[in-house]
Amino acid sequence: MAPENDSSVTEFILLGLTQKPELQLPLFFIFLAIYVVTVVGNVGLIILIALNPHLHTPMYYFLFNLSFIDLCHSSVITPKMLMSFVGQNIISYAECMTQLCFFSFFVIDECCILTSMAYDRYVAICKPLLYKVSMSHQVCLMLTVGVYAMGLVGAMAHTGCMLRLSFCDGNIINHYMCDIPPLLQLSCTSTSINELVVFIVVGVNVIVPSVTISISYTLILLNILHIRSAEGRSKAFSTCSSHIIVVSIFFGSSAFMYLKPFPAGSLDEDKVSTIFYTIVGPMVNPFIYSLRNKDVQVALSKTLRKRVVNTQCI
């Protein structure tokens, strides 16, 4: 992705998470461990869903895509962040724009896939007799195509607007990645169009999904309260609680980051907020769903038993 503007800057310097030398090495190992756990957790969940036919349902189909998005999302950010801890904190203009493009793509994908999962839970609990029709293979496929299409449109809008800006002198990004707010602060040309695009794209992909999810879970809650058996209510709550936790972490931190005027608040606060949905979220999501989901636990147990039996036979 070659720059198409008149920018004299050919590379940027990423300041990283902190400038304190004594924290660089400990943070490197902490975030390296987080990344390893993220990769193992999400790849493990992807393989588990693929290998177990009884998990080939709409709920786990979306969970499969969520794990894939989380894996890619983290891989776009964390390796470069780890390099900044050991001194390799220079990123070229083209690499910066490419990272911004893929970062925007996977963030928007996650917003949309979480919304699709909320709709799936609404149909499963509130319209159980219509579930197979409403969440057919064709519907799931259309929703997934829509998820990635929204991500592509949003990423192209953000990246295209960023490419039109000029960066004349300043090339120090007070962040651990090429994100929109710190790049806008470096521009020596007007950023009004970029700010408008951020509010439109982020508003559509944060506010609309948030409202949709809120409505879905309000209807779900009302439906659950009408379930007579305590066991039925408990089962219904358990199928939704994991998703509610994931949604709260992701939408809460992303809304704090983007749905405010530019500039507002310090970039140090923004970096902390960004960590939650770029690094922490992708790490904890597979464990939230697996530890609180009996189907995943049973599938994992069966897979491990088969593995042990096959090893003994060999």
Side-chain angles (χ1 to χ4, degrees), residues 1-210:
M1 187 179 297
E4 298 294 337
N5 57 16
D6 298 324
S7 175
S8 60
V9 173
T10 59
E11 61 184 22
F12 295 99
I13 298 174
L14 295 170
L15 289 185
L17 193 60
T18 179
Q19 289 298 293
K20 296 181 179 180
E22 67 274 14
L23 295 179
Q24 299 294 327
L25 197 58
L27 287 175
F28 172 81
F29 286 110
I30 289 172
F31 284 100
L32 176 62
I34 289 174
Y35 183 58
V36 171
V37 172
T38 300
V39 172
V40 172
N42 285 288
V43 170
L45 195 54
I46 288 171
I47 294 173
L48 193 66
I49 293 172
L51 293 180
N52 289 270
H54 77 279
L55 296 181
H56 294 176
T57 62
M59 175 181 174
Y60 296 104
Y61 172 77
F62 291 125
L63 183 55
F64 179 96
N65 281 276
L66 176 64
S67 292
F68 172 74
I69 291 168
D70 278 339
L71 178 64
C72 296
H73 186 186
S74 181
S75 297
V76 167
I77 304 301
T78 310
K80 193 63 183 179
M81 180 185 185
L82 293 173
M83 292 174 66
S84 69
F85 286 130
V86 294
Q88 300 177 3
N89 57 351
I90 296 176
I91 184 170
S92 70
Y93 181 92
E95 289 175 336
C96 185
M97 295 299 110
T98 301
Q99 186 186 60
L100 173 65
C101 180
F102 280 102
F103 165 67
S104 302
F105 176 71
F106 289 116
V107 166
I108 295 172
D109 285 347
E110 185 141 357
C111 291
C112 296
I113 201 71
L114 289 173
T115 307
S116 298
M117 294 173 75
Y119 174 71
D120 171 72
R121 291 300 84 204
Y122 160 75
V123 177
I125 294 174
C126 299
K127 309 287 184 180
L129 298 179
L130 300 175
Y131 184 72
K132 290 186 177 180
V133 176
S134 300
M135 297 305 296
S136 64
H137 176 74
Q138 291 79 7
V139 172
C140 291
L141 182 60
M142 289 175 59
L143 287 172
T144 306
V145 170
V147 165
Y148 291 108
M150 289 290 289
L152 182 62
V153 171
M156 290 297 101
H158 284 310
T159 310
C161 288
M162 194 63 68
L163 286 171
R164 59 175 287 277
L165 297 181
S166 295
F167 300 92
C168 304
D169 298 314
N171 70 333
I172 299 177
I173 300 176
N174 185 16
H175 214 296
Y176 56 83
M177 67 175 185
C178 290
D179 200 3
I180 296 171
L183 284 171
L184 293 183
Q185 291 194 6
L186 289 180
S187 175
C188 57
T189 52
S190 173
T191 62
S192 57
I193 294 178
N194 297 70
E195 294 172 18
L196 179 62
V197 169
V198 168
F199 276 107
I200 293 174
V201 175
V202 176
V204 168
N205 290 287
V206 173
I207 294 177
V208 173
S210 298

